[in-house]
Amino acid sequence: MPVSVTKIWTAFGISPNTPQRRLGLPLLLAAASVVILVLGIGAYIHTNSSARPPKDKRSLAQLAQDSGISMENVVFWHRLGVHIADMTFLRPDRDGIPLDDVQAYRSNLLTRRSHPRADVQLRPYRFNYNKSDVLVLLHIQKTGGSNWENHMAVNLMTDPPPKCRAMPDAPHRLMCSCVNGKGQDWMFNKNCVGWPCGVHPGFMELTSCLDKWYDAQVTEDRKRRYHLMTLIRDPVTRFYSEWLHIRRGATWKECRLHCDGRDATLEEVPWCFDGGNWRGASLEEFLNCRGNMGFNRMTYMLANLSLSDCYRLESNKTREQRDEIMLASAKYNLAKHIRFFGLTEYIKETEALFQKTFQGLKFKRSIEIKDAQTGSGYVMLSDYVWNRILDMNQLDVRLYQYAKDLFLQRIEAAGIRRPRRQYEAKLVSETFTYTIENA
Ligand SMILES: *[C@@H]1O[C@H](CO)[C@@H](O)[C@H](O)[C@H]1NC(C)=O
Ligand SMILES: *[C@@H]1O[C@H](CO)[C@@H](O)[C@H](O)[C@H]1NC(C)=O
Ligand SMILES: *[C@@H]1O[C@H](CO)[C@@H](O)[C@H](O)[C@H]1NC(C)=O
Protein backbone atom coordinates (compact mmCIF):
# COMPACT_ATOMS: atom_id res chain seq x y z
CA MET A 1 0.00 0.00 0.00
CA PRO A 2 1.64 3.21 -1.03
CA VAL A 3 1.81 5.80 1.67
CA SER A 4 3.27 9.03 0.55
CA VAL A 5 4.40 11.82 2.74
CA THR A 6 6.48 14.59 1.35
CA LYS A 7 9.43 15.53 3.47
CA ILE A 8 11.27 18.76 3.72
CA TRP A 9 14.47 19.39 5.42
CA THR A 10 17.46 21.56 5.68
CA ALA A 11 19.80 19.54 3.55
CA PHE A 12 22.15 21.93 1.93
CA GLY A 13 25.11 22.87 3.99
CA ILE A 14 23.50 21.66 7.15
CA SER A 15 26.53 19.61 7.90
CA PRO A 16 29.09 21.46 9.94
CA ASN A 17 31.71 19.51 7.97
CA THR A 18 30.81 21.65 5.03
CA PRO A 19 33.22 24.48 4.32
CA GLN A 20 30.39 26.91 3.73
CA ARG A 21 32.13 29.65 1.84
CA ARG A 22 33.40 27.60 -1.05
CA LEU A 23 30.15 25.83 -1.69
CA GLY A 24 27.92 28.44 -3.26
CA LEU A 25 28.16 27.52 -6.92
CA PRO A 26 28.65 23.75 -6.64
CA LEU A 27 25.73 23.59 -4.26
CA LEU A 28 23.54 25.55 -6.58
CA LEU A 29 24.52 23.23 -9.41
CA ALA A 30 23.94 20.20 -7.21
CA ALA A 31 20.59 21.65 -6.18
CA ALA A 32 19.67 22.32 -9.76
CA SER A 33 20.59 18.81 -10.83
CA VAL A 34 18.64 17.26 -7.98
CA VAL A 35 15.63 19.35 -8.86
CA ILE A 36 15.93 18.37 -12.52
CA LEU A 37 16.42 14.73 -11.65
CA VAL A 38 13.51 14.83 -9.27
CA LEU A 39 11.23 16.65 -11.68
CA GLY A 40 12.18 14.26 -14.45
CA ILE A 41 11.58 11.16 -12.38
CA GLY A 42 8.47 12.69 -10.89
CA ALA A 43 7.05 13.43 -14.31
CA TYR A 44 7.94 9.94 -15.46
CA ILE A 45 6.23 8.35 -12.49
CA HIS A 46 3.31 10.69 -12.76
CA THR A 47 2.61 9.79 -16.36
CA ASN A 48 3.39 6.10 -15.98
CA SER A 49 1.79 5.10 -12.76
CA SER A 50 -1.85 4.50 -12.28
CA ALA A 51 -1.30 3.94 -8.55
CA ARG A 52 -0.81 7.67 -8.09
CA PRO A 53 -3.69 9.17 -6.14
CA PRO A 54 -5.85 11.66 -7.99
CA LYS A 55 -5.46 15.34 -7.12
CA ASP A 56 -6.82 15.99 -3.69
CA LYS A 57 -9.16 18.90 -3.38
CA ARG A 58 -9.43 18.89 0.39
CA SER A 59 -8.78 22.09 2.24
CA LEU A 60 -5.77 22.41 4.48
CA ALA A 61 -7.95 22.31 7.56
CA GLN A 62 -9.66 19.16 6.34
CA LEU A 63 -6.29 17.63 5.57
CA ALA A 64 -5.00 18.43 9.03
CA GLN A 65 -8.11 16.91 10.54
CA ASP A 66 -7.99 13.75 8.42
CA SER A 67 -4.32 13.16 8.95
CA GLY A 68 -4.06 13.95 12.63
CA ILE A 69 -1.08 16.12 11.74
CA SER A 70 -1.12 19.53 13.34
CA MET A 71 -2.48 22.43 11.34
CA GLU A 72 0.84 24.16 11.91
CA ASN A 73 2.70 21.42 10.09
CA VAL A 74 0.29 21.27 7.24
CA VAL A 75 0.39 25.02 6.74
CA PHE A 76 4.13 25.06 7.05
CA TRP A 77 4.61 22.38 4.41
CA HIS A 78 2.06 23.98 2.18
CA ARG A 79 3.83 27.34 2.34
CA LEU A 80 6.98 25.61 1.22
CA GLY A 81 5.22 24.44 -1.89
CA VAL A 82 4.34 20.88 -1.01
CA HIS A 83 1.20 19.99 -2.89
CA ILE A 84 -1.70 18.69 -0.96
CA ALA A 85 -1.96 15.78 -3.35
CA ASP A 86 1.40 14.57 -2.08
CA MET A 87 0.24 14.46 1.49
CA THR A 88 -1.47 11.20 2.20
CA PHE A 89 -1.07 10.58 5.84
CA LEU A 90 -1.67 7.74 8.17
CA ARG A 91 -4.84 8.24 10.07
CA PRO A 92 -5.29 7.25 13.68
CA ASP A 93 -7.96 4.64 14.05
CA ARG A 94 -9.09 2.47 16.89
CA ASP A 95 -9.30 -0.67 14.76
CA GLY A 96 -5.91 -0.37 13.20
CA ILE A 97 -2.70 -2.30 13.59
CA PRO A 98 0.24 -1.21 15.74
CA LEU A 99 2.40 1.50 14.32
CA ASP A 100 5.88 0.37 13.38
CA ASP A 101 8.83 2.72 13.38
CA VAL A 102 9.27 3.05 9.64
CA GLN A 103 5.58 3.77 9.10
CA ALA A 104 5.65 6.24 11.97
CA TYR A 105 8.69 7.98 10.53
CA ARG A 106 7.02 8.23 7.14
CA SER A 107 4.15 10.14 8.66
CA ASN A 108 6.20 12.33 10.94
CA LEU A 109 5.10 10.52 14.07
CA LEU A 110 7.20 9.23 16.91
CA THR A 111 6.29 6.39 19.22
CA ARG A 112 6.71 7.02 22.91
CA ARG A 113 8.10 3.87 24.50
CA SER A 114 8.29 2.81 28.09
CA HIS A 115 12.02 2.67 28.67
CA PRO A 116 13.40 1.41 31.97
CA ARG A 117 13.63 4.28 34.43
CA ALA A 118 17.39 3.96 34.69
CA ASP A 119 17.74 4.63 30.96
CA VAL A 120 15.74 7.83 31.11
CA GLN A 121 16.57 9.44 34.43
CA LEU A 122 19.32 12.00 34.59
CA ARG A 123 22.40 10.39 36.10
CA PRO A 124 24.75 13.26 36.86
CA TYR A 125 28.38 12.25 36.96
CA ARG A 126 31.20 14.24 38.51
CA PHE A 127 33.72 14.08 35.71
CA ASN A 128 37.31 14.23 36.88
CA TYR A 129 39.75 14.65 34.04
CA ASN A 130 42.65 14.79 36.51
CA LYS A 131 41.95 11.20 37.49
CA SER A 132 40.66 8.28 35.46
CA ASP A 133 37.87 9.83 33.38
CA VAL A 134 38.32 9.98 29.62
CA LEU A 135 35.69 11.30 27.26
CA VAL A 136 35.56 9.49 23.91
CA LEU A 137 33.74 10.95 20.93
CA LEU A 138 32.29 8.37 18.59
CA HIS A 139 31.90 10.56 15.55
CA ILE A 140 29.56 9.17 12.94
CA GLN A 141 30.03 10.82 9.55
CA LYS A 142 27.69 13.69 8.65
CA THR A 143 25.99 14.01 12.01
CA GLY A 144 27.34 17.46 12.79
CA GLY A 145 30.14 15.80 14.72
CA SER A 146 32.90 18.11 13.52
CA ASN A 147 31.12 21.19 14.75
CA TRP A 148 30.51 19.48 18.07
CA GLU A 149 34.07 18.17 18.40
CA ASN A 150 35.48 21.60 17.69
CA HIS A 151 33.15 23.10 20.30
CA MET A 152 34.23 20.48 22.86
CA ALA A 153 37.93 21.00 22.22
CA VAL A 154 37.87 24.79 22.24
CA ASN A 155 35.09 25.92 24.56
CA LEU A 156 35.12 23.65 27.61
CA MET A 157 36.40 25.45 30.70
CA THR A 158 39.12 23.21 32.05
CA ASP A 159 42.20 23.71 34.14
CA PRO A 160 44.63 23.82 32.46
CA PRO A 161 42.69 25.35 29.56
CA PRO A 162 43.16 23.82 26.09
CA LYS A 163 45.93 25.24 23.94
CA CYS A 164 44.66 25.60 20.39
CA ARG A 165 46.02 26.58 17.02
CA ALA A 166 44.44 26.67 13.57
CA MET A 167 44.79 23.57 11.42
CA PRO A 168 46.91 24.33 8.36
CA ASP A 169 44.42 22.79 5.92
CA ALA A 170 41.26 24.14 7.60
CA PRO A 171 41.83 27.51 9.29
CA HIS A 172 38.30 27.61 10.75
CA ARG A 173 39.08 24.44 12.73
CA LEU A 174 41.39 24.26 15.70
CA MET A 175 43.82 21.62 16.83
CA CYS A 176 44.04 21.65 20.60
CA SER A 177 45.98 20.03 23.35
CA CYS A 178 43.31 18.68 25.69
CA VAL A 179 45.42 17.44 28.58
CA ASN A 180 45.07 17.49 32.35
CA GLY A 181 47.62 18.75 34.84
CA LYS A 182 49.72 15.61 34.36
CA GLY A 183 49.81 16.05 30.59
CA GLN A 184 47.42 13.14 30.00
CA ASP A 185 44.90 13.32 27.17
CA TRP A 186 41.51 13.30 28.75
CA MET A 187 39.41 13.75 25.61
CA PHE A 188 39.52 11.39 22.65
CA ASN A 189 38.51 13.92 20.04
CA LYS A 190 39.82 14.41 16.53
CA ASN A 191 40.69 18.03 17.34
CA CYS A 192 42.82 16.88 20.26
CA VAL A 193 44.40 13.59 19.26
CA GLY A 194 43.66 13.24 15.53
CA TRP A 195 42.51 9.82 14.33
CA PRO A 196 44.80 7.26 15.99
CA CYS A 197 42.14 4.53 15.65
CA GLY A 198 41.51 5.08 11.94
CA VAL A 199 39.14 7.78 10.67
CA HIS A 200 35.65 7.80 12.16
CA PRO A 201 36.09 4.82 14.45
CA GLY A 202 32.83 3.16 15.49
CA PHE A 203 32.07 1.06 18.54
CA MET A 204 34.16 -1.89 17.32
CA GLU A 205 37.20 0.15 16.36
CA LEU A 206 37.17 2.16 19.58
CA THR A 207 36.71 -0.73 21.96
CA SER A 208 39.57 -2.62 20.34
CA CYS A 209 41.92 0.34 19.98
CA LEU A 210 41.62 2.78 22.89
CA ASP A 211 43.63 0.82 25.45
CA LYS A 212 46.40 0.10 22.97
CA TRP A 213 46.72 3.73 22.00
CA TYR A 214 46.59 5.11 25.52
CA ASP A 215 48.97 2.50 26.93
CA ALA A 216 51.55 3.63 24.37
CA GLN A 217 51.53 7.23 25.68
CA VAL A 218 54.45 8.09 27.99
CA THR A 219 52.24 10.16 30.32
CA GLU A 220 49.84 7.28 31.02
CA ASP A 221 50.15 5.51 34.32
CA ARG A 222 46.51 5.36 35.33
CA LYS A 223 43.53 3.12 35.12
CA ARG A 224 41.11 4.78 32.72
CA ARG A 225 37.37 4.97 32.65
CA TYR A 226 36.07 5.68 29.14
CA HIS A 227 32.83 7.60 28.64
CA LEU A 228 31.58 7.25 25.09
CA MET A 229 29.40 9.89 23.50
CA THR A 230 27.89 10.32 20.04
CA LEU A 231 25.44 12.33 17.96
CA ILE A 232 22.52 10.84 16.03
CA ARG A 233 20.94 12.60 13.07
CA ASP A 234 17.84 12.21 10.93
CA PRO A 235 18.80 9.22 8.75
CA VAL A 236 17.50 10.48 5.41
CA THR A 237 19.17 13.85 5.80
CA ARG A 238 22.34 12.23 7.02
CA PHE A 239 22.52 9.89 4.07
CA TYR A 240 21.80 12.68 1.63
CA SER A 241 24.51 14.77 3.22
CA GLU A 242 26.92 11.85 2.93
CA TRP A 243 26.21 11.68 -0.77
CA LEU A 244 26.96 15.40 -1.14
CA HIS A 245 30.21 14.85 0.71
CA ILE A 246 31.26 11.79 -1.30
CA ARG A 247 30.57 13.50 -4.60
CA ARG A 248 32.89 16.29 -3.50
CA GLY A 249 35.63 13.65 -3.37
CA ALA A 250 35.64 12.31 0.21
CA THR A 251 36.29 8.58 0.53
CA TRP A 252 36.99 7.74 4.19
CA LYS A 253 39.33 5.06 2.92
CA GLU A 254 41.15 5.08 6.24
CA CYS A 255 38.18 3.61 8.10
CA ARG A 256 39.32 0.36 9.66
CA LEU A 257 36.10 -1.65 9.78
CA HIS A 258 37.56 -3.74 12.56
CA CYS A 259 35.79 -6.78 13.97
CA ASP A 260 36.79 -10.00 15.74
CA GLY A 261 40.45 -9.14 15.74
CA ARG A 262 40.92 -8.05 12.14
CA ASP A 263 39.92 -5.40 9.60
CA ALA A 264 37.38 -6.22 6.88
CA THR A 265 38.96 -7.34 3.61
CA LEU A 266 38.35 -5.70 0.25
CA GLU A 267 36.50 -8.81 -0.78
CA GLU A 268 34.11 -8.39 2.13
CA VAL A 269 33.64 -4.65 1.64
CA PRO A 270 34.60 -3.63 -1.91
CA TRP A 271 34.79 0.01 -2.96
CA CYS A 272 31.84 1.46 -4.83
CA PHE A 273 34.15 3.24 -7.27
CA ASP A 274 37.12 2.51 -9.54
CA GLY A 275 40.04 4.87 -9.32
CA GLY A 276 40.72 7.16 -6.42
CA ASN A 277 37.32 8.37 -5.41
CA TRP A 278 33.67 8.79 -6.33
CA ARG A 279 33.71 12.45 -7.25
CA GLY A 280 30.59 13.57 -9.10
CA ALA A 281 28.58 10.40 -8.33
CA SER A 282 24.89 10.89 -8.98
CA LEU A 283 22.41 10.14 -6.21
CA GLU A 284 21.18 7.19 -8.28
CA GLU A 285 24.69 5.75 -8.53
CA PHE A 286 25.18 6.32 -4.83
CA LEU A 287 21.94 4.51 -4.03
CA ASN A 288 22.60 1.68 -6.45
CA CYS A 289 25.90 0.51 -5.01
CA ARG A 290 24.98 -2.42 -2.79
CA GLY A 291 28.18 -2.25 -0.77
CA ASN A 292 27.82 1.46 -0.01
CA MET A 293 28.88 1.80 3.61
CA GLY A 294 26.68 4.89 3.90
CA PHE A 295 23.58 2.69 4.23
CA ASN A 296 22.55 2.26 7.86
CA ARG A 297 25.85 3.73 8.93
CA MET A 298 24.65 4.83 12.36
CA THR A 299 23.42 1.33 13.19
CA TYR A 300 26.55 -0.56 12.25
CA MET A 301 28.85 2.01 13.81
CA LEU A 302 27.10 1.65 17.17
CA ALA A 303 26.58 -2.12 17.19
CA ASN A 304 28.76 -4.90 18.49
CA LEU A 305 29.18 -6.43 15.04
CA SER A 306 30.72 -9.53 16.47
CA LEU A 307 27.20 -10.66 17.36
CA SER A 308 26.08 -10.52 13.73
CA ASP A 309 29.18 -12.20 12.28
CA CYS A 310 31.03 -8.99 11.41
CA TYR A 311 31.57 -8.33 7.71
CA ARG A 312 31.93 -12.04 6.90
CA LEU A 313 30.49 -13.22 3.62
CA GLU A 314 29.69 -16.64 5.10
CA SER A 315 27.27 -16.90 7.98
CA ASN A 316 24.69 -19.42 9.08
CA LYS A 317 22.31 -16.57 9.80
CA THR A 318 20.27 -14.86 7.10
CA ARG A 319 20.91 -11.22 6.17
CA GLU A 320 17.64 -10.31 7.90
CA GLN A 321 18.67 -12.06 11.11
CA ARG A 322 22.03 -10.35 11.07
CA ASP A 323 20.36 -6.98 10.51
CA GLU A 324 17.96 -7.47 13.40
CA ILE A 325 20.78 -8.49 15.72
CA MET A 326 22.83 -5.49 14.61
CA LEU A 327 19.95 -3.09 15.25
CA ALA A 328 19.16 -4.61 18.63
CA SER A 329 22.80 -4.31 19.61
CA ALA A 330 23.00 -0.68 18.43
CA LYS A 331 19.93 0.21 20.51
CA TYR A 332 21.30 -1.63 23.50
CA ASN A 333 24.65 0.13 23.26
CA LEU A 334 22.99 3.49 22.81
CA ALA A 335 20.85 3.09 25.93
CA LYS A 336 23.39 1.31 28.16
CA HIS A 337 26.93 1.52 26.88
CA ILE A 338 27.18 4.98 25.38
CA ARG A 339 27.36 7.31 28.36
CA PHE A 340 25.78 10.20 26.51
CA PHE A 341 24.21 10.85 23.12
CA GLY A 342 22.59 13.85 21.50
CA LEU A 343 20.58 14.62 18.40
CA THR A 344 21.88 16.89 15.67
CA GLU A 345 18.44 18.41 15.21
CA TYR A 346 18.37 19.32 18.91
CA ILE A 347 21.90 20.52 19.39
CA LYS A 348 21.10 23.20 21.98
CA GLU A 349 19.19 20.67 24.08
CA THR A 350 22.06 18.25 23.56
CA GLU A 351 24.47 20.81 24.93
CA ALA A 352 22.25 21.47 27.94
CA LEU A 353 21.88 17.76 28.69
CA PHE A 354 25.63 17.26 28.30
CA GLN A 355 26.37 19.89 30.95
CA LYS A 356 23.84 18.38 33.33
CA THR A 357 25.21 14.89 32.74
CA PHE A 358 28.91 15.63 33.14
CA GLN A 359 29.28 17.87 36.13
CA GLY A 360 32.50 19.82 36.01
CA LEU A 361 32.39 20.13 32.23
CA LYS A 362 30.97 23.52 31.32
CA PHE A 363 31.15 25.42 28.07
CA LYS A 364 32.26 29.02 28.15
CA ARG A 365 29.97 29.83 25.26
CA SER A 366 27.03 28.16 23.58
CA ILE A 367 27.50 26.10 20.40
CA GLU A 368 27.14 28.01 17.18
CA ILE A 369 24.50 26.77 14.81
CA LYS A 370 25.31 27.26 11.17
CA ASP A 371 22.87 29.40 9.21
CA ALA A 372 21.66 26.48 7.19
CA GLN A 373 20.60 24.67 10.35
CA THR A 374 18.23 27.42 11.32
CA GLY A 375 16.00 26.96 8.33
CA SER A 376 17.34 29.04 5.46
CA GLY A 377 18.49 26.01 3.50
CA TYR A 378 15.37 24.02 2.83
CA VAL A 379 15.29 21.61 -0.01
CA MET A 380 12.45 19.35 -0.97
CA LEU A 381 13.01 15.84 -2.16
CA SER A 382 10.34 14.18 -4.19
CA ASP A 383 8.54 11.22 -2.71
CA TYR A 384 10.56 9.08 -5.06
CA VAL A 385 13.99 10.14 -3.81
CA TRP A 386 12.88 10.33 -0.21
CA ASN A 387 11.40 6.84 -0.34
CA ARG A 388 14.45 5.39 -2.05
CA ILE A 389 16.77 6.75 0.63
CA LEU A 390 14.40 5.62 3.35
CA ASP A 391 14.10 2.10 1.92
CA MET A 392 17.85 1.67 1.89
CA ASN A 393 18.27 2.97 5.44
CA GLN A 394 15.49 1.24 7.35
CA LEU A 395 17.71 0.10 10.20
CA ASP A 396 18.86 3.67 10.74
CA VAL A 397 15.27 4.90 10.60
CA ARG A 398 14.31 2.43 13.31
CA LEU A 399 17.38 3.35 15.35
CA TYR A 400 16.62 7.04 14.95
CA GLN A 401 13.02 6.69 16.10
CA TYR A 402 14.22 4.81 19.15
CA ALA A 403 17.01 7.30 19.88
CA LYS A 404 14.82 10.35 19.40
CA ASP A 405 12.18 9.06 21.76
CA LEU A 406 14.78 8.19 24.38
CA PHE A 407 16.47 11.56 23.99
CA LEU A 408 13.25 13.56 24.26
CA GLN A 409 12.27 11.63 27.38
CA ARG A 410 15.71 12.27 28.85
CA ILE A 411 15.61 16.01 28.34
CA GLU A 412 12.11 16.04 29.75
CA ALA A 413 13.30 14.13 32.82
CA ALA A 414 16.22 16.54 33.19
CA GLY A 415 13.86 19.52 33.11
CA ILE A 416 15.28 21.01 29.92
CA ARG A 417 12.82 23.17 28.05
CA ARG A 418 12.48 22.54 24.35
CA PRO A 419 10.95 25.06 22.00
CA ARG A 420 8.57 23.34 19.61
CA ARG A 421 9.57 23.26 15.99
CA GLN A 422 7.01 23.52 13.29
CA TYR A 423 8.05 20.39 11.45
CA GLU A 424 8.67 18.29 14.51
CA ALA A 425 7.39 14.74 14.80
CA LYS A 426 4.32 14.25 16.93
CA LEU A 427 4.62 11.85 19.83
CA VAL A 428 2.13 9.02 19.98
CA SER A 429 1.85 6.37 22.67
CA GLU A 430 3.27 2.90 22.32
CA THR A 431 -0.22 1.48 21.96
CA PHE A 432 -1.24 3.92 19.24
CA THR A 433 -2.84 2.18 16.27
CA TYR A 434 -3.86 3.33 12.83
CA THR A 435 -5.15 2.29 9.46
CA ILE A 436 -3.67 3.39 6.21
CA GLU A 437 -5.82 5.71 4.23
CA ASN A 438 -6.14 3.87 0.98
CA ALA A 439 -5.28 6.01 -2.00
C1 LIG B 1 43.14 19.50 37.87
O1 LIG B 1 44.47 19.73 38.17
C2 LIG B 1 44.87 21.10 38.10
C3 LIG B 1 46.34 21.20 38.44
O2 LIG B 1 47.11 20.31 37.74
C4 LIG B 1 44.07 21.92 39.07
O3 LIG B 1 44.45 23.29 38.96
C5 LIG B 1 42.59 21.76 38.76
O4 LIG B 1 41.82 22.45 39.70
C6 LIG B 1 42.20 20.28 38.78
N1 LIG B 1 40.84 20.16 38.34
C7 LIG B 1 39.95 19.34 38.88
C8 LIG B 1 38.60 19.33 38.29
O5 LIG B 1 40.26 18.60 39.78
C1 LIG C 1 30.83 -8.12 21.53
O1 LIG C 1 30.18 -9.37 21.60
C2 LIG C 1 31.07 -10.45 21.84
C3 LIG C 1 30.27 -11.72 21.70
O2 LIG C 1 29.26 -11.79 22.65
C4 LIG C 1 31.71 -10.28 23.19
O3 LIG C 1 32.61 -11.34 23.45
C5 LIG C 1 32.46 -8.95 23.23
O4 LIG C 1 32.96 -8.71 24.51
C6 LIG C 1 31.55 -7.81 22.84
N1 LIG C 1 32.36 -6.63 22.67
C7 LIG C 1 32.09 -5.48 23.28
C8 LIG C 1 33.06 -4.40 23.05
O5 LIG C 1 31.11 -5.32 23.97
C1 LIG D 1 26.67 -21.18 13.26
O1 LIG D 1 28.05 -20.92 13.21
C2 LIG D 1 28.70 -20.88 14.46
C3 LIG D 1 30.16 -20.54 14.26
O2 LIG D 1 30.37 -19.79 13.14
C4 LIG D 1 28.57 -22.20 15.18
O3 LIG D 1 29.14 -22.13 16.47
C5 LIG D 1 27.10 -22.57 15.28
O4 LIG D 1 27.00 -23.86 15.85
C6 LIG D 1 26.44 -22.54 13.93
N1 LIG D 1 25.02 -22.78 14.12
C7 LIG D 1 24.33 -23.60 13.34
C8 LIG D 1 22.86 -23.73 13.65
O5 LIG D 1 24.84 -24.22 12.45
Side-chain angles (χ1 to χ4, degrees), residues 203-204 207 260 304-307 333 337:
F203 184 77
M204 297 309 279
T207 48
D260 281 0
N304 180 348
L305 297 175
S306 183
L307 303 169
N333 282 345
H337 234 98

Side-chain angles (χ1 to χ4, degrees), residues 128-130 159 181:
N128 192 340
Y129 45 79
N130 281 340
D159 183 7

Side-chain angles (χ1 to χ4, degrees), residues 32-169:
S33 43
V34 170
V35 167
I36 289 166
L37 175 76
V38 160
L39 287 179
I41 292 165
Y44 176 81
I45 289 181
H46 193 77
T47 48
N48 285 280
S49 157
S50 53
R52 195 85 184 158
K55 278 256 173 287
D56 194 328
K57 294 277 189 287
R58 286 175 297 176
S59 69
L60 292 182
Q62 187 65 46
L63 184 73
Q65 197 182 347
D66 289 353
S67 62
I69 304 291
S70 75
M71 189 65 193
E72 266 165 61
N73 269 343
V74 171
V75 170
F76 177 71
W77 293 0
H78 184 69
R79 261 214 316 273
L80 285 162
V82 180
H83 296 298
I84 298 181
D86 292 335
M87 299 187 194
T88 308
F89 293 108
L90 303 182
R91 190 174 51 179
D93 190 297
R94 261 178 307 160
D95 306 320
I97 48 172
L99 190 68
D100 80 39
D101 278 331
V102 175
Q103 289 162 329
Y105 178 83
R106 282 180 191 279
S107 42
N108 202 28
L109 297 173
L110 180 64
T111 305
R112 192 181 172 104
R113 295 176 162 84
S114 34
H115 299 277
R117 233 167 101 86
D119 291 356
V120 174
Q121 250 184 348
L122 180 68
R123 287 174 298 154
Y125 181 81
R126 178 143 292 279
F127 191 94
N128 192 340
Y129 45 79
N130 281 340
K131 294 239 167 72
S132 56
D133 291 323
V134 172
L135 196 60
V136 177
L137 277 62
L138 193 166
H139 178 172
I140 301 173
Q141 286 92 322
K142 314 314 293 177
T143 54
S146 292
N147 196 30
W148 178 261
E149 281 193 293
N150 199 60
H151 182 51
M152 295 273 294
V154 178
N155 292 326
L156 278 173
M157 293 184 287
T158 54
D159 183 7
K163 288 199 201 69
C164 300
R165 62 193 154 74
M167 290 187 186
D169 55 335

